[in-house]
Amino acid sequence: MMTEAAELGLEPFYAMEILARAKALEAAGRDVLYLQTGEPDVPPAPRVIEAVRAALPEAQRYTHSKGQIELRRAIAESYGVRHGVVPDPERIVVTMGSSSGFILAFLSSFAPGAAIAVTRPGYPAYLNTLVGLGFRPVEIPVTAENGWRLSAADIEAAHARTPFAGLLFASPANPTGASVDRTALAEIAASCTRLGIRLISDEIYHGLDYGVPSASALPLAADAIIINSFSKYHCMTGWRIGWMVLPEDLVRRTEMLQQNLFISAPTLSQIAARAALGETEYAEAQRARYAVNRDRLSRGLASIGFGLPGLPDGAFYAYADVSAFTNDSLDFCMRLLDETGVASTPGIDFDRTDGKRYLRFSFAGSPETMDKALQRIAGFVGR
């Protein structure tokens, strides 16, 4: 059953609420293990820091609203390496993280009040941003039984019940780590085209794959909006720097919105991003570490009694069924933090209908953190 989440209104971003509570505990002297937010625990590559250090004596002025042309060219070239297609740099807009990219995408593409579909479970800011901007989110449920993967058939059935103008879709997904392959993504894109749905492809976890490399919608759908970020793969969450690749018909409108809403992305962060694009070896070393953590945390949680349908395809999350221990994931999450110092995120952040059964754990930290967390969790549920 689909839920029109606009009826529910804005909700807290519980991952950030947990973070604030965890920081308060840490300030009071507690040892806290941070598994609640999706961010690497290491700095960006050394050459990124060197590039920023070299730029610090210079005046950091506004850049072109779409971003430095050197950065946009480098982003375009990176698509040629990864996906075999090089977009025109003039179709690229550098953004303040992916978050402002979503805002620009919604405002540039849809009439006020338009219905836009997202998957459930899904990233909580999708719903809250759509509701906050006055759009009508429509949720399409995906399930553990189908690997948490959206299909073209799901889209067509949902659209037949409640027509929508846009679809925001992530692969790999947050919180489940589920990915679709190129064939499935092509089918999704074709369904959107056939039904007149604007596809927004959230690709911020690209590069964090543990099998087949993630497919981009860029070569598959000429009218799709591509959103990506340096936050995850390049270890730059706090730098707040991302980008969009736009279809021709949205470039000018999005540029004008960027000029007025954000002026431009931070100059120092753009300098850092250019350097980061050349540091694939560093990023791949972090991905290899996450792969070890993925196995360690997922298998450890399963051995304790948490329900996990399988290892995630990508990203750095374990989305675990905790119904063997609780029917209230928020209460469980709070008690786990207060009593053991392990910070996690309740499933209600990602699924307002069935999220009380789930917790999300991030494995973007160190293997030692994973081991300590598993020991504390096992002790907590064994009491």
Side-chain angles (χ1 to χ4, degrees):
M1 177 180 179
M2 292 185 298
T3 301
E4 296 213 27
E7 297 175 0
L8 305 179
L10 291 171
E11 294 283 345
F13 192 165
Y14 286 103
M16 303 311 295
E17 302 258 309
I18 297 295
L19 175 61
R21 188 171 180 132
K23 290 293 185 183
L25 288 175
E26 190 173 54
R30 292 283 301 281
D31 177 37
V32 176
L33 303 177
Y34 290 92
L35 279 71
Q36 87 293 345
T37 50
E39 58 180 349
D41 68 343
V42 297
R47 289 181 183 174
V48 173
I49 298 170
E50 291 171 10
V52 171
R53 183 179 292 117
L56 284 174
E58 305 297 326
Q60 302 304 315
R61 303 183 184 280
Y62 299 135
T63 71
H64 190 292
S65 288
K66 291 198 289 188
Q68 294 176 330
I69 186 59
E70 297 87 354
L71 174 56
R72 288 185 280 137
R73 286 172 179 158
I75 291 170
E77 290 168 4
S78 73
Y79 279 95
V81 173
R82 286 188 175 269
H83 303 292
V85 58
V86 180
D88 183 345
E90 293 303 317
R91 292 172 50 200
I92 295 173
V93 174
V94 180
T95 60
M96 295 175 64
S98 62
S99 300
S100 67
F102 296 131
I103 293 170
L104 292 169
F106 299 150
L107 294 177
S108 68
S109 306
F110 305 107
I116 301 170
V118 298
T119 58
R120 186 182 75 229
Y123 179 51
Y126 293 162
L127 293 180
N128 287 318
T129 301
L130 286 168
V131 170
L133 293 174
F135 294 103
R136 291 188 298 114
V138 174
E139 295 186 76
I140 306 175
V142 293
T143 65
E145 289 71 26
N146 66 13
W148 303 112
R149 294 181 184 89
L150 181 72
S151 69
D154 294 330
I155 296 167
E156 293 178 7
H159 190 268
R161 291 190 294 266
T162 304
F164 44 86
L167 170 68
L168 173 52
F169 171 66
S171 176
N174 177 8
T176 63
S179 298
V180 298
D181 61 20
R182 182 183 174 89
T183 299
L185 183 58
E187 292 172 354
I188 287 170
S191 289
C192 288
T193 299
R194 184 166 56 254
L195 295 169
I197 297 167
R198 175 80 74 173
L199 174 62
I200 304 173
S201 183
D202 178 353
E203 302 182 359
I204 71 170
Y205 291 100
H206 275 207
L208 299 181
D209 312 295
Y210 310 108
V212 178
S214 296
S216 175
L218 183 61
L220 302 175
D223 61 347
I225 299 170
I226 313 300
I227 294 180
N228 210 322
S229 169
F230 290 88
S231 291
K232 312 300 184 178
Y233 183 66
H234 293 288
C235 307
M236 295 176 63
T237 53
W239 296 78
R240 310 311 303 135
I241 187 77
W243 75 89
M244 313 169 70
V245 185
L246 296 160
E248 291 287 352
D249 64 309
L250 296 180
V251 172
R252 182 56 179 154
R253 178 173 171 79
T254 304
E255 180 182 8
M256 290 189 291
L257 285 166
Q258 171 89 318
Q259 290 169 347
N260 287 282
L261 293 176
F262 307 110
I263 301 180
S264 64
T267 303
L268 275 177
S269 295
Q270 293 189 54
I271 292 168
R274 282 178 58 195
L277 285 171
E279 296 303 306
T280 302
E281 183 176 347
Y282 181 87
E284 284 297 299
Q286 308 317 313
R287 184 183 68 85
R289 185 167 61 100
Y290 306 147
V292 172
N293 289 350
R294 176 187 73 143
D295 292 353
R296 187 171 302 195
L297 182 64
S298 297
R299 298 186 195 283
L301 290 172
S303 71
I304 293 169
F306 290 79
L308 290 154
L311 295 176
D313 304 317
F316 35 48
Y317 305 113
Y319 194 55
D321 187 334
V322 295
S323 58
F325 308 109
T326 184
N327 60 4
D328 186 342
S329 62
L330 178 58
D331 174 73
F332 186 92
C333 182
M334 292 296 190
R335 288 190 294 110
L336 181 65
L337 174 60
D338 290 344
E339 296 179 29
T340 75
V342 175
S344 59
T345 304
I348 57 171
D349 234 0
F350 316 103
D351 185 342
R352 297 177 182 179
T353 301
D354 200 32
K356 288 187 175 182
R357 294 175 50 203
Y358 292 93
L359 253 64
R360 189 196 71 177
F361 297 92
S362 168
F363 51 80
S366 68
E368 294 75 22
T369 296
M370 301 303 110
D371 288 342
K372 288 175 68 176
L374 287 168
Q375 290 172 2
R376 295 184 189 183
I377 295 167
F380 177 75
V381 300
R383 291 174 187 170

